[in-house]
């Protein structure tokens, strides 16, 4: 009976821990599109159009333009950037590329995805994708690991005949991410996320001043110290204690009254 109760407590502890862990490993919900979705892109890092993860952003441009967007990514997330380029009916072969930079403007490598693609003559559209490495809460100063903060998307054509320069194109960009939770947790955190300044005009003057980007995750930036690893550590401690109690009960055997010799 005692062993049954201990096993039941262990199963209950595992069930309580599995809930948060499963939630962390599932993809983050996508924000619904609305009328406020951006319909234009920036032309540099400082004028990049801010978008939220899950938000659909569109922009019209010309072949040869540099189009920029920015989005927030927090620790434990593995962002995926997708872009669609709508080409005119008549055009020569064109090669488009999507690049992602972090808050320090360091180009981040793609784990996988079609980051560069070539559209043959007459093809109406092409799709690009870049799956980044998991964002870490902390990293060595010399490393180029993705860190929490603002990320920049740059979409441009890298190979195009001179005759096609300036042709109108339509673009669509969407960012999603998978939350890996404690599986990607590290010890340590940044004092502040890497959110650089952006160009902003004062209402009282035409002077341009630096202002912090106001695109943050819906739940705010993670503190960096909490992850579901704490839950599993606590569960491990509980299971170890139960195993110790069970082992003691098995080795001690059933309780017996002490038999003292007569006259002792």
């Amino acid at each position: 009976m005692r062993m049954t109760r201990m096993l039941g407590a262990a199963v209950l502890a595992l069930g309580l821990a599995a809930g948060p862990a499963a939630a962390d490993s599932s993809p983050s919900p996508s924000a619904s599109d609305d009328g406020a979705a951006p319909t234009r892109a920036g032309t540099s890092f400082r004028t990049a159009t801010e978008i939220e993860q899950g938000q659909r952003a569109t922009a019209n441009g010309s072949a040869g333009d540099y189009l920029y967007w920015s989005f927030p990514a927090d620790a434990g997330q593995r962002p995926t950037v997708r872009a669609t380029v709508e080409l005119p009916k008549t055009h020569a072969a064109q090669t488009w590329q999507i690049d992602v930079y972090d808050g320090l403007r360091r180009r981040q490598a793609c784990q996988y995805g079609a980051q560069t693609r070539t559209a043959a003559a007459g093809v109406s559209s092409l799709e690009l994708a870049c799956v980044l490495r998991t964002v870490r809460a902390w990293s060595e100063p010399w490393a180029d690991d993705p860190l929490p903060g603002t990320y920049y998307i740059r979409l441009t054509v890298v190979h195009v005949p001179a005759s096609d320069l300036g042709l109108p194109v339509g673009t669509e960009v969407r960012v999603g991410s998978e939350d890996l939770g404690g599986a990607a947790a590290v010890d340590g955190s940044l004092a502040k996320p890497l959110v650089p300044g952006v160009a902003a005009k004062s209402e009282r003057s035409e002077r341009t001043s630096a202002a912090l980007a106001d695109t943050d995750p819906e739940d705010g930036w993670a503190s960096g110290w909490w992850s579901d690893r704490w839950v599993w550590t606590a569960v491990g401690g509980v299971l170890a204690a139960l195993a110790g109690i069970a082992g003691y009960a098995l080795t001690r055997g059933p309780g017996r009254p002490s038999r003292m010799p007569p006259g002792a």
Side-chain angles (χ1 to χ4, degrees):
M1 187 68 177
R2 183 183 302 173
M3 289 295 298
T4 302
R5 291 179 179 177
M6 289 189 293
L7 290 176
V11 172
L12 177 60
L14 287 174
L16 293 175
D24 289 339
S25 61
S26 60
S28 57
S30 300
S32 58
D33 294 332
D34 52 31
T39 57
R40 60 187 303 175
T43 57
S44 67
F45 287 102
R46 292 181 60 85
T47 60
T49 299
E50 298 176 353
I51 61 176
E52 295 284 353
Q53 291 193 26
Q55 190 176 35
R56 173 178 171 269
T58 60
N60 294 323
S62 302
D65 291 345
Y66 286 89
L67 306 177
Y68 288 82
W69 296 266
S70 66
F71 67 93
D74 208 353
Q77 294 182 342
R78 185 168 60 190
T80 298
V81 180
R82 302 184 185 277
T84 302
V85 181
E86 300 291 340
L87 301 171
K89 294 182 179 180
T90 304
H91 65 85
Q94 300 182 9
T95 301
W96 287 76
Q97 180 171 303
I98 187 170
D99 296 301
V100 182
Y101 299 82
D102 64 8
L104 299 178
R105 299 186 185 179
R106 303 176 302 180
R107 184 175 179 273
Q108 292 295 321
C110 301
Q111 279 190 315
Y112 50 87
Q115 182 182 6
T116 304
R117 294 192 65 181
T118 299
V123 173
S124 61
S125 66
L126 77 163
E127 295 184 355
L128 305 169
C130 175
V131 180
L132 298 176
R133 293 173 295 166
T134 304
V135 179
R136 297 164 57 90
W138 179 85
S139 177
E140 296 288 349
W142 47 262
D144 63 347
D145 296 322
L147 295 171
T150 300
Y151 282 76
Y152 296 95
I153 305 169
R154 184 178 72 183
L155 177 64
T156 188
V157 62
V158 293
H159 179 73
V160 59
S163 59
D164 280 2
L165 286 174
L167 288 180
V169 295
T171 62
E172 177 180 320
V173 172
R174 183 186 293 269
V175 181
S177 68
E178 180 181 1
D179 194 347
L180 300 184
V186 296
D187 295 329
S189 62
L190 298 179
K192 292 182 179 180
L194 302 179
V195 181
V198 295
K201 286 187 176 181
S202 172
E203 296 180 357
R204 298 182 180 180
S205 67
E206 294 298 323
R207 296 181 60 186
T208 301
S209 58
L212 290 179
D214 56 5
T215 300
D216 296 336
E218 293 184 1
D219 300 329
W221 297 104
S223 60
W225 67 271
W226 168 257
S227 72
D228 56 11
R229 289 197 306 173
W230 290 95
V231 177
W232 289 108
T233 301
V235 171
V238 172
L239 294 178
L242 293 176
I245 295 174
Y248 174 76
L250 291 174
T251 56
R252 182 174 179 271
R256 297 179 180 178
S258 60
R259 296 181 179 178
M260 301 295 290

